[in-house]
């Protein structure tokens, strides 16, 4: 197809913390050295922040490096963490608070801020625009554009105005080529193009398997009497412990009497009956959490996967003409459940690498090994190395032992306990047959603390153009019924936090119905389908959730 | 002081929405004048005189008003406004077309689509597509208001005895020419306008089974709607979809058959006056908002319902 | 023919709006804002007129705070020639907007003004009609089809019973309904071009328009939640209730 084309020095895919930080840094360097350098950021959400979902407790160290005077400029991050509490939930009633002296250093948050990452991104995007970065929300990078020498030469934006059957509607607009000397991929966890690049360039050769957790989150307006601005609560145990699954919850007291509460469910769970959404709903019924929520009003819902593989799973982050940054590469520090400062740092490192490369040679298209060197020399590498075993320890040895290991490692050895733990099965390989697993009976929602999935999705303000090709592609149309339904009772019905997949009985027997318009772009199905049969593709730009303050 | 209601009519009959506006007017003031502006519309004036609550009918009968073009009627209303505290009209397409023009000529604000009257200068009206209700106070001495007809009971059409006064007509300003009206001829009322909607969901199981709904809809003179699940399953085309991404309807009676009642569907019909749910799952969320529910198999209930309607009519 | 299109910046169609904690206003902090969907249709219609050669110049105008220039830029990216922002932080009522628009129309001699029939935030559905009144112009509201033929416009309007066709001599006002057209997708290069198009800023004071308010919003609340009614046992009982209790059939 003949496509229009536009050229930039650097194209950045994804307007999250990594992408925006890289854009800002590139333009800062260009301005400081009075160089011409064109930078654009593509964002599939309808606006910057629309697809950002995070906790978030944010370590400001990278923001300090990027915009040292941010504290003077704006009232951006205002809620400093005042207390940290860590709990172990023994069952649906009891909670055991871990004494402060035993809380791993990585879980202590003094000096960090509680904030909406989406709003931080909105702020960063204003900064970037002031530095003449072109930001294009509503445009997804749908394909990688390769050059003559198999280098990445940019991206192609998604076609707009295709009908469900793939035919062109009157409003059809073909996607455009955005050509760049260097392209930075900052799509966040399980990037759709990042995944392809990792496969194409075999970037994961030698790296451990990447693991993921599904993070579900709600935002509540809460009773001012119960609100303790600055309080941060983390915990694990019940209810996931009932099915032997891993994960943990968080509850942060933001400003304006708001609370964000969430559960991260490790996607290496084995029991196909597990329903992460329902686990989250029943978690909120635990008195520890329920107390804070009672009298409040739920105002937001969303979900997004989070990388857990850490250091071991980091792929090679450079390839000809492109770099992977932030969670697209997997720079999250799972010991701290923080990926913002690390994503930002990787964005800065990438920007500096690219800027140097373009200063030396205007051609572009090179494989920038220098990025790896910069990474190794940075605090980022050190930080990820120190927490390399956190997730795997919990996974391998369970909560008690793993927790003890983590405590020892993180607190006494500063993360340098001389042992490497790795976990090499992919998350999709862990499901057991349904016959071998215990049914889980989830309680019905009460409509006050717990809710059903569809009324939750409603709060994510999700929408997609209705008449477009389904963006959730099945490689094999038979697998959902023959394998998934037969062996695992169709786990996609349960793991999807938006109820996109439904098995319906209709005439000729069960069928898989895909309600793609509900998709909140969390990427779980792309990870957890037992045969890797589902591929998440970019829908028409601007589609997806519209999170206001997540 | 008196309220002036501007009637909606087709030169032969008074539109029922006007009766609701008259009720709203009587909540404001005891004296209600009703303006009939049309051409050859004396029968409307006679009918209007019988409506309870109307004290005077003002009849402006002239060719210039035949199609009630806003350009011609607005100056008439402006002329008659004096001596009235409020000008009311139902929020029909005619009301929405005319009243802002009147308000601007009088240099006052308009309060659109009110659903409740708090006091003579304070009204409630939906904003954000009905997701929020605003209470609005007017500082103008003359209030121009359009009234959501479904929010007020219709005034009783018989038993009143108002005087009919002819008022002088202004001429045709000739700003605008009427070309034609096209009335949608269809055996079924338009989904968005229908007084009764019968809607089916996935529970119907197939496109063929939607015929069961049609039989019921025929008896009730109803439009047919559907939930998204039914549309996605291919039972009906998507122009019948009611809900967040489909049509928003507010009929007098909404019958949901085999529809679970996900919030996305409710968003399109929860303003209906009376909601009936038929579903075999007694925990279906639809029952939480239905005025009348039947738990049971729709394949038994639908034919019984049709039969019952036949029987009780005869 | 010079065409003016008014565009409003509103909370995006997909965002669910709720009252804030004390019920004084709606809670929309950090919500996505967009061009009012009906205005997008109005812009599309104007751009098509330009493309068809019936319009010589098409101008987009928005009124409100500085951020409203975003929607003017979107209109420019869709193909409008230039933009105007009447900038004020004051709350503007439809009547005020109509007065400001009338001032602009008089200043620049537009022949046709197209507006969305209604903004999806306050749902007033007034501005176009008010503007026509203030200018003494004809109005073609809720248009589903517009044909310009020299100095006459034919407008097909959506009505409660079907449709109505009117015609008038320019100048006039048209307000757009959903079925008028399907707005185009904005193309990336056009977003870039739009940044370079002229956008004039002006204040209500400069236009000499009084922007004091006539209405005050005292409170906002969620609509009363419906609660479940009763279960009936069979069709017979249902028909009886509908007929004699609810009286809806
Ligand atoms: C529930 C949860 C809680 C968390 N809590 C914390 C916390 O407390 N503290 C913390 O520091 N971190 C936390 N994180 C992690 C943190 O959110 C991530 O590490 C961080 O967002 C990663 O930044 P990023 O820029 O790499 O990717 P993202 O933030 O995911 O941003 C990627 C952006 O790219 C866009 N995009 C993706 N693909 C395309 C494409 N093909 N075309 C165009 N645009 C595209 C996306 O829409 C998105 O806007 C949490 C994460 C979750 C899920
Ligand atoms: S369809 Fe896939 S990506 Fe979309 S919400 Fe469901 S699991 Fe997440």
């Amino acid at each position: 197809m003949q496509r229009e084309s536009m050229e930039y020095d650097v194209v950045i895919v994804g307007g999250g913390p990594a992408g925006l930080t890289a854009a800002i840094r590139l333009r800062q360097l260009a301005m400081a050295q009075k160089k011409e350098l064109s930078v654009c950021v593509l964002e599939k959400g309808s606006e910057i922040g629309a697809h950002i979902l995070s906790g978030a407790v944010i370590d400001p160290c990278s923001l300090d490096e990027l915009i040292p005077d941010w504290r003077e400029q704006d009232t951006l991050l205002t809620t400093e963490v005042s207390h940290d509490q860590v709990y172990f939930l023994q069952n649906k009633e009891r909670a055991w608070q871990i004494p402060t002296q035993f809380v791993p250093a990585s879980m202590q948050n003094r000096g960090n801020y509680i904030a909406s990452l989406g709003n931080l991104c909105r702020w960063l995007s204003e900064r970037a625009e002031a530095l003449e970065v072109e930001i294009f929300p509503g445009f997804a990078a749908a394909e990688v554009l390769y050059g003559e020498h198999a280098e990445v030469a940019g991206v192609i934006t998604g076609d707009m105005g295709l009908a469900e059957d793939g035919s062109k509607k009157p409003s059809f607009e073909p996607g455009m080529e955005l050509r760049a000397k260097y392209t930075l991929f900052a799509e966040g966890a399980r990037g759709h193009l990042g995944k392809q690049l990792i496969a194409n360039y075999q970037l994961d050769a030698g790296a451990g398997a990447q693991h993921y957790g599904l993070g579900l989150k709600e935002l509540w307006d809460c009773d001012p009497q119960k609100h303790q601005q600055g309080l941060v609560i983390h915990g694990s145990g019940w209810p996931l412990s009932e099915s032997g699954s891993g994960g943990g919850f968080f509850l942060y007291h933001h400003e304006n009497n708001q609370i964000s509460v969430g559960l991260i469910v490790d996607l290496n769970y084995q029991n196909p009956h597990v329903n992460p959404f329902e686990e989250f709903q029943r978690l909120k019924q635990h008195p520890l959490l329920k107390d804070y929520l009672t009298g409040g009003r739920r105002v937001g819902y969303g979900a997004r996967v989070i990388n857990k593989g850490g250091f071991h799973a980091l792929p090679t982050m450079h390839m000809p003409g492109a770099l992977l940054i932030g969670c697209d590469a997997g720079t999250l520090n799972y010991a701290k459940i923080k990926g913002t400062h690390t994503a930002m740092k990787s964005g800065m490192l990438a920007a500096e690498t690219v800027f140097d490369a373009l200063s030396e040679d205007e051609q572009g298209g090179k494989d920038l090994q220098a990025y790896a060197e910069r990474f190794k020399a940075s605090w980022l590498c050190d930080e990820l190395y120190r927490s390399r075993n956190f997730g795997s320890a919990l996974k391998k040895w369970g909560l008690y032992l793993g927790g003890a290991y983590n405590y020892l490692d993180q607190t006494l050895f500063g993360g340098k306990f001389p042992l490497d733990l790795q976990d090499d099965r992919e998350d999709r390989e862990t499901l057991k047959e349904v016959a071998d697993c215990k049914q889980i009976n989830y309680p019905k929602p009460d409509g006050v603390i717990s809710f059903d999935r569809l009324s939750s999705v409603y709060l994510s303000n999700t929408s997609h153009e209705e008449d477009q090709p389904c963006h959730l592609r099945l490689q094999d149309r038979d697998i959902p019924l023959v394998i998934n339904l037969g062996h695992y009772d169709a786990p996609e019905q349960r793991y999807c936090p938006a109820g996109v997949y439904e098995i319906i009985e209709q005439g000729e027997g069960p069928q898989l119905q895909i309600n793609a318009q509900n998709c909140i772009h969390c990427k779980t199905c792309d990870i957890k389908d037992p045969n890797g049969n589902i591929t998440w593709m970019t829908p028409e730009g601007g589609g997806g959730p519209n999170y206001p303050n997540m | 002081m008196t309220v002036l209601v501007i009637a909606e009519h087709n030169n032969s009959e008074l539109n029922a929405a006007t009766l609701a506006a008259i009720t709203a007017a009587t909540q404001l003031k005891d004296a209600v004048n009703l303006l009939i502006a049309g051409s050859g519309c004396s029968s409307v004036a006679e009918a209007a005189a019988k409506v309870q609550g109307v004290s005077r009918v003002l009849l402006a009968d002239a060719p210039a008003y035949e199609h009630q073009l806003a350009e011609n009627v607005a100056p008439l209303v402006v002329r008659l406004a004096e001596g009235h505290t409020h000008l009311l009209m139902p929020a029909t397409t005619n009301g929405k077309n005319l009243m802002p023009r009147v308000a601007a000529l009088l240099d006052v604000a308009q309060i659109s689509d009110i659903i409740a009257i708090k006091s003579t200068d304070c009204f409630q009206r939906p904003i954000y597509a009905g997701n929020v209700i605003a209470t609005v106070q007017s500082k103008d001495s003359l209030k121009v208001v359009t009234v959501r007809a479904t929010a007020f009971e219709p005034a009783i059409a018989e038993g009143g005895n108002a005087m009919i006064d002819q008022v002088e007509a202004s001429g045709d300003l000739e700003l605008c020419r009427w070309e034609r009206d096209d009335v949608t001829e269809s055996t079924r009322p338009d989904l968005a306008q229908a007084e009764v909607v019968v809607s089916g969901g996935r529970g119907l199981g197939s496109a063929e089974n939607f015929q069961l709904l049609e039989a019921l809809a025929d008896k009730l003179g109803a439009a047919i709607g559907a939930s998204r699940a039914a549309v996605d399953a291919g039972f009906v085309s998507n122009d019948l979809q009611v809900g967040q991404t489909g049509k928003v309807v507010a009929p007098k009676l909404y019958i949901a058959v085999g529809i679970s009642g996900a919030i996305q569907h409710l968003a399109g019909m929860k303003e209906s006056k009376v909601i009936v749910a038929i579903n075999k799952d007694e925990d279906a969320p639809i029952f939480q908002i239905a005025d009348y529910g039947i738990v049971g198999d729709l394949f038994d209930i639908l034919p019984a319902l049709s039969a019952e309607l036949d029987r009780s009519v005869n | 023919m010079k065409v003016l299109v008014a565009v409003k910046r509103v909370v995006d169609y997909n965002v669910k709006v709720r009252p804030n904690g004390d019920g004084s206003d709606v809670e929309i902090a950090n919500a996505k804002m967009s061009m009012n969907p009906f205005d997008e249709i109005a812009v599309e219609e104007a751009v098509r007129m330009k493309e068809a050669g019936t319009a010589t110049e098409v101008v987009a105008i928005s009124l409100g705070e500085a951020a409203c220039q975003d929607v003017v830029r979107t209109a420019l990216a869709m193909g409008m020639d230039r933009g105007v922002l009447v900038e004020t932080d004051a709350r503007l009522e439809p009547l005020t907007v109509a007065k400001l628009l009338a001032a602009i129309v008089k200043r620049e001699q537009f022949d046709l003004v197209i507006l969305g029939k209604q903004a999806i935030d306050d749902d007033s559905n007034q501005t176009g009609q008010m503007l026509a009144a203030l200018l003494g112009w004809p109005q073609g509201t809720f248009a589903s089809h517009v044909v310009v033929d020299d100095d006459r416009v034919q407008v097909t309007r959506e009505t409660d019973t079907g449709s109505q066709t009117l015609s008038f001599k320019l100048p006039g006002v048209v307000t757009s309904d959903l079925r008028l057209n399907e707005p185009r997708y904005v193309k990336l290069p056009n977003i870039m071009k739009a940044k370079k198009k002229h956008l004039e800023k002006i204040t209500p004071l400069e236009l000499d328009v009084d922007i004091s308010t006539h209405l005050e919003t005292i409170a906002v609340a969620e609509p009363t939640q419906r609660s479940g009614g009763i279960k009936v046992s069979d069709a017979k009982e249902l028909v009886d209730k509908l007929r004699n209790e609810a009286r809806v059939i």
Side-chain angles (χ1 to χ4, degrees), chain A residues 232-542:
Chain A
V232 161
I233 298 177
H234 287 111
S236 59
W238 188 86
L240 291 171
S241 54
E242 272 187 19
S243 57
S245 315
F249 71 86
F250 62 85
L251 190 148
Y252 304 149
H253 291 246
H254 293 243
E255 57 238 27
N256 303 330
N257 290 321
Q258 284 199 319
I259 282 183
S260 62
V261 54
L263 174 69
I264 296 173
V265 179
D266 295 354
L267 287 180
N268 66 343
Y269 67 82
Q270 302 184 342
N271 183 337
H273 295 299
V274 166
N275 182 325
F277 175 84
E278 296 295 350
E279 295 288 346
F280 179 35
Q281 295 307 313
R282 65 174 173 164
L283 165 74
K284 287 184 291 165
Q285 297 286 3
H286 192 288
L288 177 72
L289 293 95
K290 190 176 178 176
D291 267 3
Y292 288 115
L293 304 178
T294 304
R297 170 173 71 151
R298 186 176 71 145
V299 297
Y301 167 81
R304 179 82 173 91
V305 297
I306 180 168
N307 307 84
K308 295 190 51 199
F311 190 81
H312 293 305
L314 280 179
T316 305
M317 296 184 274
H318 52 85
M319 67 214 89
L323 301 177
L324 287 178
I325 61 177
C327 283
D328 217 352
T331 55
L332 181 123
N333 178 345
Y334 196 66
K336 295 185 176 175
I337 9 172
K338 285 189 190 59
T340 306
H341 66 294
T342 52
M344 290 178 73
K345 180 65 184 175
S346 78
M348 282 187 270
L349 296 171
E352 288 152 15
T353 310
V354 166
F355 187 79
D356 282 0
L358 285 174
S359 305
E360 268 168 36
D361 177 358
E362 283 195 9
Q363 270 291 313
K366 301 218 164 48
D367 189 355
L368 301 178
Q369 312 245 356
Y371 180 44
E373 283 144 33
R374 264 177 208 273
F375 173 75
K376 278 208 193 86
S378 70
W379 58 255
L380 173 58
C381 180
D382 190 49
E383 180 180 322
L384 294 181
Y385 178 74
R386 281 163 189 262
S387 55
R388 71 197 180 287
N389 289 333
F390 188 88
S392 335
L394 285 178
K395 237 182 245 176
K396 267 217 161 90
W397 296 328
L399 273 168
Y400 290 102
L401 266 179
Y405 164 81
N406 278 329
Y407 170 68
L408 274 177
D409 182 42
Q410 296 290 319
T411 311
L412 299 181
F413 291 85
K416 297 208 158 155
F417 194 80
L419 182 71
D420 275 326
L421 294 172
Q422 281 195 41
D423 183 354
D424 273 331
R425 265 196 312 169
E426 301 272 351
D427 290 336
R428 66 181 158 82
E429 298 168 333
T430 58
L431 280 185
K432 290 185 179 156
E433 299 258 330
V434 73
D436 302 333
C437 295
K438 225 175 82 194
Q439 262 289 356
I440 307 175
N441 290 318
Y442 293 108
K444 283 193 184 137
D446 62 12
V448 182
I449 300 292
S450 54
F451 304 91
D452 66 38
R453 248 188 313 197
L454 284 180
S455 45
S456 303
V457 179
Y458 191 70
L459 291 180
S460 67
N461 303 320
T462 298
S463 91
H464 288 92
E465 162 57 43
E466 307 261 304
D467 187 14
Q468 65 169 307
C470 179
H471 71 280
L472 303 154
R473 297 281 166 84
L474 302 176
Q475 261 86 317
D476 181 335
R477 307 220 126 254
D478 295 331
I479 285 183
L481 298 177
V482 178
I483 298 183
N484 291 8
L485 185 61
H487 296 253
Y488 309 106
D489 191 29
E492 60 272 34
Q493 298 184 82
R494 291 174 295 279
Y495 64 59
C496 172
V500 167
Y501 300 93
E502 276 181 287
I503 296 288
I504 51 172
E505 295 286 339
Q506 201 190 101
E508 327 78 70
Q511 283 179 26
L512 178 69
Q513 156 96 26
I514 304 182
N515 305 306
Q517 73 283 349
N518 283 359
C519 174
I520 55 177
H521 298 199
C522 78
K523 310 281 180 81
T524 303
C525 53
D526 195 88
I527 296 166
K528 189 63 179 171
D529 186 73
N531 290 283
N533 188 40
I534 301 176
T535 303
W536 188 96
M537 318 269 286
T538 44
E540 194 166 278

Side-chain angles (χ1 to χ4, degrees), chain A residues 36-52:
Chain A
E36 299 263 312
L37 183 84
S38 56
V39 181
C40 84
V41 176
L42 291 179
E43 168 54 51
K44 68 178 159 70
S46 64
E47 60 162 357
I48 294 292
H51 287 185
I52 299 292

Side-chain angles (χ1 to χ4, degrees), chain C:
Chain C
M1 179 177 70
K2 264 176 79 175
V3 182
L4 180 69
V5 177
V7 293
K8 186 175 185 185
R9 180 175 178 265
V10 298
V11 176
D12 187 81
Y13 175 72
N14 295 301
V15 174
K16 272 103 217 160
V17 171
R18 61 177 197 279
N20 64 7
D22 63 4
S24 58
D25 207 341
V26 289
E27 179 64 65
I28 54 171
N30 301 307
K32 161 141 172 64
M33 305 297 284
S34 301
M35 189 193 300
N36 181 42
F38 291 107
D39 303 351
E40 238 178 292
I41 294 169
V43 169
E44 177 66 34
E45 197 65 18
V47 173
R48 288 183 189 185
M49 288 174 182
K50 172 89 197 246
E51 288 168 347
T54 42
T56 48
E57 192 186 24
V58 289
V59 179
I61 181 170
S62 189
L63 309 94
E65 48 187 315
C68 293
Q69 60 183 292
D70 294 354
V71 292
V72 179
R73 290 279 173 217
T74 307
L76 296 177
M78 287 175 73
M80 300 297 280
D81 295 319
R82 63 184 166 89
V84 180
L85 173 66
V86 180
E87 193 172 341
T88 170
D89 288 334
R91 187 171 59 80
L92 298 177
E93 293 172 352
L95 182 60
T96 322
V97 173
K99 286 178 183 175
L100 291 164
L101 288 174
I104 292 282
V105 168
K106 284 182 189 148
R107 192 188 68 161
E108 291 202 33
Q109 304 298 324
F110 285 96
D111 304 292
L112 176 66
V113 185
I114 315 179
L115 308 87
K117 75 162 180 181
Q118 172 169 351
I120 60 164
D121 51 1
D122 64 12
D123 287 335
S124 287
N125 193 336
Q126 300 172 2
T127 311
Q129 298 87 310
M130 288 180 156
L131 174 63
L134 297 176
L135 294 168
W137 287 7
Q139 64 190 48
T141 51
F142 325 141
S144 59
H145 193 62
V146 177
V147 184
V148 183
D149 186 8
D150 207 13
D151 65 345
R152 274 198 93 75
V153 183
Q154 196 175 75
V155 180
T156 303
R157 314 173 50 229
E158 308 232 338
T159 66
D160 292 336
T161 49
S163 67
Q164 178 178 64
T165 305
L166 305 172
S167 72
F168 51 77
K169 197 165 162 297
L170 291 171
V173 172
V174 166
T175 74
S176 58
D177 214 322
L178 221 47
R179 267 179 276 206
L180 182 57
N181 60 49
E182 192 188 329
R184 66 195 60 200
Y185 292 101
V186 174
K187 289 168 40 168
L188 274 183
N190 293 349
I191 297 178
M192 309 286 296
K193 282 183 206 143
K195 290 191 179 166
K196 301 195 183 84
K197 288 187 184 173
H198 183 62
L199 197 162
E200 177 199 3
K201 291 187 189 167
I202 192 166
T203 63
L205 196 68
E206 289 169 87
L207 290 169
D208 196 20
V209 172
D210 168 21
I211 58 167
S212 58
T213 59
H214 296 236
L215 301 175
E216 193 185 345
T217 299
I218 301 176
V220 295
E222 268 176 51
T224 31
Q225 299 290 325
R226 289 185 92 102
S227 49
I230 56 164
K231 296 260 165 67
V232 295
S233 54
D234 57 18
K236 185 165 190 293
E237 192 184 345
L238 179 62
V239 171
D240 176 60
K241 294 276 188 208
L242 291 179
R243 188 158 282 151
N244 302 318
E245 192 177 88
R247 292 202 305 221
V248 286
I249 56 172

